[in-house]
Amino acid sequence: MGMISRRTFCTCCLTATGVFAVSRAAHSQELLNLEGSVACAGRKSITLGNVYSFKASSEAMSLVGKICEAVGLPQNFEVRVAAVSDDIANAAAVIAYYGTPDAKRLVLYNELWVQDYLRSTGDEYWSGVALLAHECGHHLSGHTLDGQGSKPPKELEADSFAGFIVAKLGGTREQALALFEDFPLEATETHPARSDRLQAVAVGWRNAGVPTRSESEWANIRVNYFRKRKDGTKVDEVLSDLGIQANHYASELEDADTNHITCSDDVPVSAVRALALALHDRGIAIQSIYQHADKAFSGINIEFVGWHRFGLSRSVLEQLDRCPPRSDPTYGTYQPRR
Ligand SMILES: [Zn+2]
């Protein structure tokens, strides 16, 4: 957990009435006049005054780009940083210059949670994705146009969108649900009950049509796991989630981290990629993926190598399209690390 507890999250929406940007200076900060607008903050509605907004981080902008790409819709809004409420770290879909010809749609988010969540791995990363996807969903579904603010049916639609996006971007159903599990139990005038929200997320996740990997798909792939005491439980969970029956080998390096995958050309790259992403999402930093030195080797080894320092990023793992040679500049031993 980062400095912001998950409990403080809320997917919120602002009514768009009276949102005006009063200063549009050349520098990155911009004063948004949100007076008269009502923001929903999980359990309660709050009224906002003037809010400074700032340029969004590259993580947030690239994630929003991926969200729109996943549904094939043009990004019809801008993303900016703003403290949308005093005490709650969250995000909001708003319209500036509402009701005028200059009206523009914005997703505002709190920079603190992006730094803590989008830069972490596992459930926390996916909670950040789900929250931003929820707000993008409001704009892409045209929810902000009526100036009416949050209503339960709109919230459920945005929740379902968030579940769909997490699935499309490679998250599990549980990772899609994680953000919503601490949400208020009871329904309010503006927000649905937690149980309804969880259903909406699960339906969205299912609608993405991501095939569940079955044990049979892995049955013909030999997976060897050199188990470490340090992170063995996490790797075991990944193997079980993917339905992999691995051959376990005791590791001589009990205190090392699992950080490397050895592959062979005859194993489908989709399997190697799925395993690497699942390990990454469980907080295992994979530093290299390359072919076994022995040409006769067939299968996948999950193990440890000592010469790299940093893990490969999720987007680099997503681009894995073959079992790379050991000399590969990105996945192999000889790479300038970012
Ligand atoms: Zn919302």
Side-chain angles (χ1 to χ4, degrees):
M1 233 357 129
M3 60 180 287
I4 302 167
S5 108
R6 179 176 291 140
R7 205 165 299 285
T8 62
F9 264 133
C10 105
T11 50
C12 88
C13 323
L14 303 180
T15 50
T17 47
V19 179
F20 296 102
V22 294
S23 159
R24 307 184 75 191
H27 46 269
S28 70
Q29 85 196 26
E30 179 176 328
L31 188 62
L32 297 174
N33 183 349
L34 303 177
E35 257 167 47
S37 55
V38 182
C40 59
R43 294 155 206 272
K44 54 173 184 174
S45 282
I46 53 170
T47 305
L48 296 167
N50 292 347
V51 169
Y52 282 106
S53 73
F54 306 85
K55 193 171 182 292
S57 71
S58 56
E59 281 106 329
M61 286 198 283
S62 113
L63 175 58
V64 165
K66 279 194 219 166
I67 290 169
C68 295
E69 211 174 278
V71 287
L73 289 172
Q75 188 181 325
N76 63 1
F77 55 87
E78 211 181 296
V79 194
R80 289 186 69 80
V81 169
V84 289
S85 89
D86 289 344
D87 55 352
I88 297 163
N90 58 14
V94 302
I95 297 189
Y97 307 106
Y98 183 74
T100 79
D102 294 332
K104 71 169 176 179
R105 307 182 204 201
L106 292 163
V107 163
L108 303 177
Y109 73 87
N110 186 311
E111 182 64 20
L112 301 180
W113 72 251
V114 161
Q115 284 180 13
D116 284 357
Y117 281 73
L118 294 189
R119 288 179 191 175
S120 61
T121 53
D123 288 356
E124 292 187 5
Y125 170 79
W126 290 107
S127 292
V129 173
L131 182 54
L132 265 188
H134 173 100
E135 300 306 338
C136 296
H138 280 311
H139 278 317
L140 296 172
S141 310
H143 290 165
T144 45
L145 296 175
D146 64 7
Q148 301 287 306
S150 296
K151 286 282 174 275
K154 289 200 261 182
E155 291 311 310
L156 292 176
E157 219 168 273
D159 291 345
S160 200
F161 182 82
F164 181 93
I165 290 297
V166 169
K168 282 288 184 196
L169 298 186
T172 64
R173 192 186 63 184
E174 283 58 42
Q175 286 165 338
L177 293 167
L179 169 68
F180 300 86
E181 268 155 9
D182 290 330
F183 275 20
L185 208 52
E186 307 289 342
T188 64
E189 214 177 290
T190 56
H191 284 75
R194 183 202 296 164
S195 56
D196 294 332
R197 303 191 75 165
L198 292 173
Q199 293 300 307
V201 174
V203 166
W205 193 90
R206 182 195 69 203
N207 287 345
V210 175
T212 351
R213 261 164 241 286
S214 67
E215 289 183 22
S216 62
E217 286 177 76
W218 287 96
N220 299 321
I221 302 171
R222 183 181 173 89
V223 178
N224 304 313
Y225 172 37
F226 296 84
R227 196 176 192 284
K228 317 286 184 294
R229 185 178 49 222
K230 205 170 157 190
D231 54 17
T233 312
K234 285 202 252 180
V235 178
D236 286 343
E237 282 169 12
V238 169
L239 294 172
S240 140
D241 282 358
L242 294 178
I244 298 173
Q245 303 280 338
N247 306 302
H248 278 58
Y249 297 97
S251 175
E252 291 154 26
L253 299 153
E254 273 287 334
D255 287 318
D257 296 301
T258 297
N259 64 8
H260 171 72
I261 293 173
T262 309
C263 49
S264 64
D265 280 335
D266 59 334
V267 168
V269 68
S270 59
V272 182
R273 193 171 51 232
L275 176 63
L277 286 169
L279 288 167
H280 171 275
D281 291 346
R282 200 57 68 100
I284 307 282
I286 297 299
Q287 303 180 3
S288 48
I289 304 172
Y290 54 79
Q291 284 172 19
H292 200 284
D294 179 358
K295 286 287 170 201
F297 173 83
S298 169
I300 295 174
N301 283 353
I302 305 166
E303 50 190 321
F304 165 84
V305 290
W307 45 74
H308 290 148
R309 197 168 297 170
F310 305 110
L312 297 165
S313 71
R314 190 167 214 287
S315 58
V316 165
L317 295 175
E318 283 166 0
Q319 287 159 33
L320 185 77
D321 59 359
R322 61 183 176 142
C323 176
R326 185 174 172 144
S327 59
D328 188 273
T330 303
Y331 302 99
T333 28
Y334 304 110
Q335 52 180 313
R337 290 296 183 181
R338 281 176 295 119

